[in-house]
Amino acid sequence: MKKISCLAFGLVLLSFNYCSAQSGGDPSKKQVKFIFPGAKLSKNYKFHFIGPFSEVSVVAKDSTVLSALLFKADSSKGVILYLHGNNDALDKWGGVAKVYTGLHYDLFMLDYRGYGKSGGFIKSEAQLYSDVQDAYDYLKRIYPEKKIIVLGYSIGTGPAAYLAANNHPGKLILQAPYYSLPDAVHHLMPSADTSDIAFHFNTYQFLRKTTAPVVIFHGDADEMFYYGSSIKLKAFFKPGDELITLKGAGHGYMDRNAEYLEGLKRVLQ
């Protein structure tokens, strides 16, 4: 996916302090727009991808309809639930599907509220966790739970880790994760006040509870979520968990990285 500049993310982080100081209402409302800007598609939009896929509707607990795509592989070994980053919707993210279906896994990609054809807007961390749990429960009706792999990229790594901690998937894969969102803020701006931050995404706490095997891929030149985040997350690894370092790699285009593709093939064999 497209590369996100460190400057852009820095401006997002600066907004936390600005919103807290300047907003007359709930500062979290402005924070949500920075963290999850959304990328809407028309309800009549037609997806075009190579290979078999179908559109899926996941009904959230409050009856909001969430849009998803299910890409099918030949001789499927299971399914990967893919939680994408905060830029773009499934019309763009669906382009990575062939990487995973080519390794004989179906791929289920969910658009968050405010993205693609999904209704509503993200309002809170708890709401997002509930939504991704609804998507996971949908897959459990189709696949044995041990055949479900949860994969999160960038901002999606926190919700992915939440799912792994509160369920029993076959594996958890994190691409370019953060230790927590406040930690990511402090790395870029040590003096930042995160006391009013609307989202915490405490990935490290979820890894403590995760019984499934964990694999982290992280570029050591990541300009968004610093590589040291994954080094810190290693403190919560179980025997068999693994950090795969992508040398010289930044935050984006992981699906084009030769080291990632080689490591992924081994992990999914």
Side-chain angles (χ1 to χ4, degrees):
M1 299 305 297
K2 71 182 181 182
K3 188 174 182 179
I4 310 167
S5 73
C6 187
L7 174 60
F9 189 59
L11 292 174
V12 170
L13 299 181
L14 282 168
S15 73
F16 290 133
N17 288 338
Y18 177 83
C19 290
S20 297
Q22 304 297 327
S23 175
D26 181 1
S28 67
K29 293 180 179 179
K30 290 186 177 181
Q31 290 182 30
V32 170
K33 292 181 181 180
F34 282 103
I35 302 171
F36 293 103
K40 294 294 290 182
L41 295 173
S42 164
K43 295 297 183 183
N44 297 321
Y45 181 85
K46 300 295 184 182
F47 292 101
H48 298 281
F49 299 106
I50 296 173
F53 71 94
S54 59
E55 292 193 51
V56 174
S57 294
V58 175
V59 181
K61 291 180 181 64
D62 64 357
S63 299
T64 298
V65 178
L66 306 176
S67 173
L69 294 176
L70 178 59
F71 296 86
K72 300 293 288 184
D74 294 332
S75 60
S76 175
K77 298 178 181 178
V79 65
I80 296 172
L81 169 55
Y82 189 109
L83 300 178
H84 64 64
N86 70 338
N87 275 349
D88 300 319
L90 294 183
D91 58 321
K92 301 294 195 302
W93 287 101
V96 308
K98 60 183 179 294
V99 170
Y100 304 94
T101 57
L103 295 173
H104 303 289
Y105 277 87
D106 298 341
L107 185 70
F108 186 87
M109 308 187 85
L110 178 74
D111 258 338
Y112 312 124
R113 296 178 189 232
Y115 288 78
K117 299 182 182 183
S118 290
F121 296 93
I122 295 173
K123 295 180 179 179
S124 70
E125 186 170 349
Q127 180 201 59
L128 180 57
Y129 290 158
S130 179
D131 286 350
V132 297
Q133 182 64 56
D134 289 335
Y136 188 89
D137 290 342
Y138 173 87
L139 289 177
K140 282 172 59 179
R141 296 194 291 269
I142 305 172
Y143 299 87
E145 188 170 13
K146 287 301 182 183
K147 295 289 187 180
I148 300 174
I149 294 174
V150 179
L151 187 156
Y153 166 68
S154 188
I155 201 70
T157 54
Y162 167 86
L163 283 180
N166 291 280
N167 297 276
H168 302 282
K171 194 182 299 291
L172 172 64
I173 299 176
L174 301 178
Q175 300 177 333
Y178 39 84
Y179 186 78
S180 69
L181 212 54
D183 180 74
V185 172
H186 290 145
H187 178 73
L188 290 179
M189 295 184 298
S191 63
D193 177 10
T194 59
S195 58
D196 291 324
I197 193 170
F199 295 85
H200 289 85
F201 294 138
N202 292 325
T203 306
Y204 70 97
Q205 291 185 347
F206 299 136
L207 287 193
R208 285 174 171 167
K209 296 174 55 181
T210 298
T211 58
V214 176
V215 180
I216 294 177
F217 293 90
H218 209 149
D220 61 7
D222 193 322
E223 71 286 352
M224 175 83 67
F225 294 130
Y226 70 110
Y227 173 68
S229 305
S230 290
I231 297 297
K232 291 167 68 173
L233 289 174
K234 281 185 66 177
F236 305 98
F237 275 8
K238 308 175 298 299
D241 291 348
E242 184 177 10
L243 167 60
I244 299 176
T245 301
L246 307 178
K247 296 178 181 178
H251 192 72
Y253 303 112
M254 195 171 289
D255 59 298
R256 304 179 191 178
N257 183 286
E259 282 188 287
Y260 173 70
L261 296 175
E262 180 180 349
L264 183 69
K265 183 178 180 179
R266 175 175 59 80
V267 167
L268 295 181
Q269 66 184 4

